[in-house]
Amino acid sequence: MTQTDQQANSTPRRGDPIAARFFRAIAESTVDWESWHSATGEVLWVNKAVTRFTGFSPEECLAMEDYPLPVVAEEDRPLLADSMKGAMLGTTRNNVEFRVQHRDGTSKWMAISWQPMIDEHGVAFGFRTSVRDVTERRQMREMLRLQNLHLEQLVEERTAKIAQLEQHRLRMEKVAALGELAAGVAHEINNPLAGIRNAFALLKRHLPKDVKHHDKLDLIDAEIERIRGITHQMYQLYGPSQQTPRTFDLERMMAEVASLTHPMARKARVKIQWDTPKLPADCGLGQGEVCLREGEVKQILLNLIHNAIQASSTGQCVRVAAAEVGRQIELQVSDDGVGMDREVIARIFEPFFSTKTATVGQGMGLGLSVTRGLVEAMHGNIHVDSSSGKGTTFVVRLPRKMDLDVGSDQ
């Protein structure tokens, strides 16, 4: 007997009991959950894999009404019911996803495929379904969706950041051009102004008090001082820094600022509360030390404290604090004054914008512009938190150690 004859004799034929056992064994051995249905949708046979997927035995499934709906998650049952109707009509579909409700209460994602079963005469006598576990695929798909969403958010954030940086660059170019002119004008005005002030001081000293309009001399003197203050602040705002970073004790410097601000606070009857803990040794610096432009740090604090005092009412408190955050120094100046709304906050760093009454030495609108310029020149940033009627807090962050080779062109 040839090998071909042996194969022909061993191959099960349709109608042969051996063939029935052969094909049923194949169906039972599949990893997927298999079901055979009649043309009217009645379940005829379910393989043993159903237990692994649902926790129910084939016998329990065969006894169910409307199988497989009882083992399907309730919200997905309409989808499966429509799928079964389609299968009874002779359609073929692949990978319709739904959730199965396991006997132990857990649920998993499945994908069902179906196709009609047709005899040798082309007559459909039912359909078969095959279900596989796609939980991991769904999880991967969800992970990819979240990653794509995250990437989209990053792209939006980076795009917005680029636009913000471009706006900042354009603003800085305009400020630089204006600043060069303003600093030059301020410097040139200061020279004749000093001569005017000295000459006026001599006249004032030698004029008797009974001269007509002598009372106006103090007003003229105050206005000259006002012009000097404006030109000085303009030069601070736009002129290049002549200071270089140096190591100094922050607590000592803040004590000096406390002495300088005490008279103004006493006159306004406002209390200043200081919180200046000793900084730990770090960044190659000793305890309490920082390496910055000392005069400019002092000017920043003076400007912010003066603003806080002017915004406060009699009996209120201004709080000044310093702390190390990471490798930065954080300076906070808070008050319980009138506060600001969002429209004002958006403009407070603009040159010549002020909410104060225009009195001598106040209301020129340059203090905060100068402050921000000094902060940014030392590679720091300034932030304000305020709301109308609830006080204001300015937060300045500066590097604890500024590069010593940063010159006066910063």
Side-chain angles (χ1 to χ4, degrees), residues 344 347-348 350-358 362-366:
V344 173
R347 299 190 59 194
I348 56 172
E350 295 179 10
F352 298 103
F353 176 79
S354 177
T355 59
K356 302 171 189 173
T357 304
Q362 296 185 28
M364 292 180 289
L366 286 171

Side-chain angles (χ1 to χ4, degrees), residues 212-265:
K212 188 178 180 180
H213 302 304
H214 187 280
D215 58 322
K216 302 297 190 296
L217 296 179
D218 288 339
L219 177 61
I220 295 171
D221 196 21
E223 290 304 305
I224 292 174
E225 175 62 21
R226 177 175 168 79
I227 295 171
R228 189 203 66 79
I230 291 174
T231 56
H232 175 70
Q233 287 197 324
M234 282 182 65
Y235 192 76
Q236 274 193 312
L237 178 60
Y238 296 117
S241 173
Q242 301 301 318
Q243 296 188 24
T244 55
R246 72 179 193 86
T247 301
F248 63 92
D249 186 89
L250 182 65
E251 188 176 16
R252 174 192 56 75
M253 186 274 294
M254 293 184 73
E256 293 174 2
V257 174
S259 298
L260 292 172
T261 55
H262 179 69
M264 183 180 182

